[in-house]
Amino acid sequence: MVDIRVAIIEDHSLTRIGMRSSLNEQEGIQVVGDEATASNGLKLLQSTKPDIAIVDIGLPDRDGIWLVQQFRESLVSETAAQTKVMMLTSFAKEQMVLAAFAAGADSYCVKTIKFELLLEALHITHEGQSWIDPAIARIVLKHTRQGVAAAVKPNTTQTVTISAIDPEQASILQADPLTNRELEVLELIVQGYSNNEIAQKLYLSLGSVKVYVRGVLNKLCASDRTQAAVLALRAGLLN
């Protein structure tokens, strides 16, 4: 089996070393390098072109958003797209959560994530799907409701607009919009509720919830609940 090649850009030494050691112990994963700054991290990504880049948004010299943007702009789009980005952010800092989401990374994790979940997120991301921590989803959802359409980048006064869904997905949704009940189910999906919990909250049978969830996934052209949550937040479906 071909190893998943991972690069880590994280300024906290203990976190970086611990993550590197733990990942290297996993069968099928190879850490190709790690750096503590955005500038060195950019050179690492450009030279190794890993399958997965785990990037801390709060780096000492430049933020992780700058790093990801510079990396993708420095290569042809097809080559840059081969590297999936997992953005790490602090749950306690809402601006950073919003900035991480605005960066257009493939997956979003809080820095306090358990290693087992980090490993799950890494494999899901490598398969081409999105992974989003429920804590991050709740913060983005709250700000979406408040009409916040942009987040301030750390270490800069510029703003970043949250990316919308692509035109094809938008046209599909316009032709077959979500019903009110599907929107209710979608909101609870975004908040990390299971089918059983959704059934209890909306006073529905479990079978009905499964039908609504499947309808939501189909209309959003999402392969799973996590991808549906990301698309919903990016499209502003839960204003």
Side-chain angles (χ1 to χ4, degrees), residues 82-112:
Q82 293 175 5
T83 297
K84 306 296 183 184
V85 176
M86 291 174 54
M87 191 73 77
L88 295 178
T89 187
S90 170
F91 171 58
K93 299 178 180 178
E94 292 194 3
Q95 269 194 334
M96 286 193 172
V97 170
L98 293 172
F101 192 79
D106 298 283
S107 292
Y108 311 86
C109 306
V110 293
K111 293 190 69 171
T112 54

Side-chain angles (χ1 to χ4, degrees), residues 59-187:
L59 297 167
D61 52 344
R62 302 291 296 267
D63 59 71
I65 295 173
W66 175 88
L67 189 162
V68 173
Q69 291 174 335
Q70 290 296 310
F71 170 64
R72 287 178 170 165
E73 290 173 4
S74 67
L75 303 173
V76 296
S77 57
E78 293 80 4
T79 303
Q82 293 175 5
T83 297
K84 306 296 183 184
V85 176
M86 291 174 54
M87 191 73 77
L88 295 178
T89 187
S90 170
F91 171 58
K93 299 178 180 178
E94 292 194 3
Q95 269 194 334
M96 286 193 172
V97 170
L98 293 172
F101 192 79
D106 298 283
S107 292
Y108 311 86
C109 306
V110 293
K111 293 190 69 171
T112 54
I113 187 173
K114 294 181 179 179
F115 179 72
E116 293 78 11
L117 284 178
L118 178 70
L119 195 59
E120 175 186 332
L122 188 149
H123 282 288
I124 288 175
T125 305
H126 183 250
E127 291 169 0
Q129 303 178 36
S130 296
W131 195 98
I132 182 169
D133 193 290
I136 292 176
R138 291 188 186 103
I139 289 176
V140 176
L141 177 58
K142 184 186 79 172
H143 281 258
T144 299
R145 284 173 172 161
Q146 294 174 348
V148 176
V152 178
K153 290 183 183 178
N155 306 328
T156 179
T157 58
Q158 297 177 355
T159 59
V160 184
T161 302
I162 293 176
S163 303
I165 59 176
D166 63 51
E168 183 178 355
Q169 289 171 320
S171 64
I172 293 173
L173 270 178
Q174 187 175 10
D176 189 14
L178 297 175
T179 66
N180 289 336
R181 180 62 84 182
E182 286 171 338
L183 286 170
E184 290 176 333
V185 170
L186 176 59
E187 179 172 344

